Amino acid sequence: RKRIGIMTSGGDAQGMNAAVRAIVRMALFRDCECFLIYDGYNGLISGGNKIVKAKREDVSGFLTLGGTVIGTARCAEFREKSGRQIAALNIIKSGIDSLVVIGGDGSLTGADNLRAEWHSHVEDLLDAGKISKEEAVAHDNLMIVGLVGSIDNDLATTDITIGAYSALARICEAIDALQITAFSHHRAFVVEVMGRNCGWLALSAAICTGADYVFIPEDPPKGKDWESRMCLALQNSRAAGKKTSLIIVAEGASDSELNPIKADYIESILTNRLKFDTRVTILGHVQRGGSPTFKDRLVATLQGAEAVEAILRADATTPSLIIGVLNNKITAQPLKSAIKLTKELTAEIAKKNFDKAVKLRSTTFTK
Ligand code: F6P
């Protein structure tokens, strides 16, 4: 009988609760036991009442709620091997043999590190007399399954991450509202959206709201005269009769020399050069708030069910897995390669190889 631990980690994302609910319900349906781990890796390190056996009704009402009811954290201690050893001890003491982590790139990397070190943790804990020989034998392996919960949609090997569609919906809703007041005053709005190193939210929002200009990390404006080109494009659009201007800036956007492009800077160009009446709106955490759209409920539920199936299929040779979606099909792929590809992409941006970055990013969105 499998004993599955479930936790959310890193920045919250709409749909995480739907995933937790699906995992609990599917696990119980498939005759597994499951444990809710509260407050991410902090809870795993604290143990005690942060790791609680779950019943079916514990996740009632979760489907439609945003955020994560079981809590999350960005946990510095878990980044250290010593922190992960305490987590390993609590996992063993709770009898957990499989761990499902719903989180972003960093959280899933942490999970994979824990698994890679698992045998040495078990040996150290046994040597230190913290676990018995029987416990060591019973926990000779830890299965890890990741679900990508992040509004950024920044993980390779999945078309979409849990939360990204809801955040996009929230951004579109906010920008639609801004367009109304922009129209009344014939104003320009510069809107900064989240996404860390990934331009998916900004680019998708630009498409969905008919923005005049967009800045994303993967495809910075080329050359020194990008400001003049932007001004010309905005002027032309006004000359053609448009009453407003909308510029979307990804929070990680930069020029091709990697100097950050910030909303305030764009505002100053529009004000000084074009004499546009310009306002800046930084959408911030509103993007992560609110309830999940139908799409995140659906994807999170299907992925949660698959996470349990993947655990039941696994044997000691199965690598840590990541559950994703590719071409509309739920997938289970090695976690390591997904993380590796994602890191390669960020590295290409840092090396200013933007064409390569765009090509790599095409696993999640096309140029
Ligand atoms: O990774 C999700 C995200 O919302 C990013 O888009 C953003 O850069 C970051 O988290 C904000 O983190 P915090 O909630 O810790 O301020």
Side-chain angles (χ1 to χ4, degrees), residues 74 150-152 194-196 251 285 288:
R74 299 195 193 279
S150 168
I151 64 163
D152 300 339
M194 282 186 169
R196 224 181 268 271
E251 64 177 351
H285 289 78
R288 287 215 321 242

Side-chain angles (χ1 to χ4, degrees), residues 64-362:
T64 59
L65 296 178
T68 165
V69 176
I70 62 173
T72 184
R74 299 195 193 279
C75 176
E77 221 180 325
F78 195 78
R79 287 190 204 120
E80 308 296 326
K81 194 171 176 191
S82 54
R84 293 194 290 273
Q85 183 150 113
I86 303 172
L89 177 62
N90 287 326
I91 288 173
I92 294 171
K93 290 293 176 194
S94 319
I96 290 171
D97 53 39
S98 315
L99 186 63
V100 184
V101 179
I102 307 160
D105 173 4
S107 306
L108 299 178
T109 305
D112 198 45
N113 289 340
L114 176 68
R115 188 176 189 198
E117 301 158 356
W118 187 253
H119 290 120
S120 79
H121 287 315
V122 172
E123 273 170 28
D124 290 353
L125 291 168
L126 182 63
D127 289 348
K130 293 187 175 163
I131 58 171
S132 66
K133 184 102 186 93
E134 293 69 40
E135 285 172 320
V137 171
H139 290 89
D140 64 334
N141 188 30
L142 174 75
M143 179 64 197
I144 302 265
V145 177
L147 262 66
V148 200
S150 168
I151 64 163
D152 300 339
N153 199 18
D154 58 350
L155 216 104
T157 75
T158 183
D159 288 340
I160 197 73
T161 58
I162 295 168
Y165 279 129
S166 302
L168 179 58
R170 210 113 296 130
I171 293 169
C172 291
E173 214 177 301
I175 292 179
D176 289 352
L178 288 176
Q179 300 270 45
I180 305 287
T181 171
F183 188 84
S184 311
H185 291 263
H186 300 185
R187 273 177 173 156
F189 268 83
V190 187
V191 180
E192 184 190 290
V193 302
M194 282 186 169
R196 224 181 268 271
N197 299 316
C198 181
W200 186 86
L201 280 174
L203 183 60
S204 308
I207 293 168
C208 296
T209 58
D212 298 280
Y213 233 78
V214 62
F215 294 96
I216 60 170
E218 298 85 348
D219 193 20
K222 293 190 180 57
K224 287 201 175 5
D225 60 342
W226 67 264
E227 298 172 10
S228 306
R229 276 187 280 123
M230 176 184 70
C231 288
L232 189 65
L234 296 176
Q235 256 167 340
N236 286 344
S237 138
R238 291 286 181 120
K242 199 169 175 195
K243 300 272 186 289
T244 59
S245 309
L246 172 64
I247 295 90
I248 299 183
V249 185
E251 64 177 351
S254 68
D255 65 15
S256 51
E257 287 309 306
L258 300 180
N259 303 306
I261 294 179
K262 288 289 159 201
D264 285 355
Y265 183 61
I266 304 293
E267 181 199 21
S268 71
I269 298 173
L270 268 51
T271 308
N272 298 328
R273 288 214 209 169
L274 295 175
K275 310 292 175 220
F276 283 1
D277 187 8
T278 309
R279 295 291 184 273
V280 169
T281 299
I282 295 176
L283 289 180
H285 289 78
V286 160
Q287 297 160 89
R288 287 215 321 242
S291 55
T293 63
F294 77 93
K295 195 92 186 187
D296 278 318
R297 297 175 200 190
L298 186 64
V299 166
T301 301
L302 296 178
Q303 290 192 355
E306 174 58 19
V308 175
E309 292 301 335
I311 288 168
L312 290 169
R313 281 196 304 269
D315 59 30
T317 64
T318 311
S320 299
L321 294 173
I322 199 162
I323 309 294
V325 190
L326 280 176
N327 301 325
N328 226 16
K329 299 258 184 312
I330 304 295
T331 55
Q333 300 178 73
L335 175 58
K336 263 209 162 45
S337 41
I339 303 282
K340 186 164 167 272
L341 212 70
T342 306
K343 292 217 184 315
E344 263 171 44
L345 196 148
T346 316
E348 294 303 340
I349 295 178
K351 285 190 269 173
K352 304 184 198 167
N353 292 335
F354 300 109
D355 288 347
K356 223 162 165 193
V358 167
K359 216 173 261 163
L360 283 169
R361 188 65 94 203
S362 66

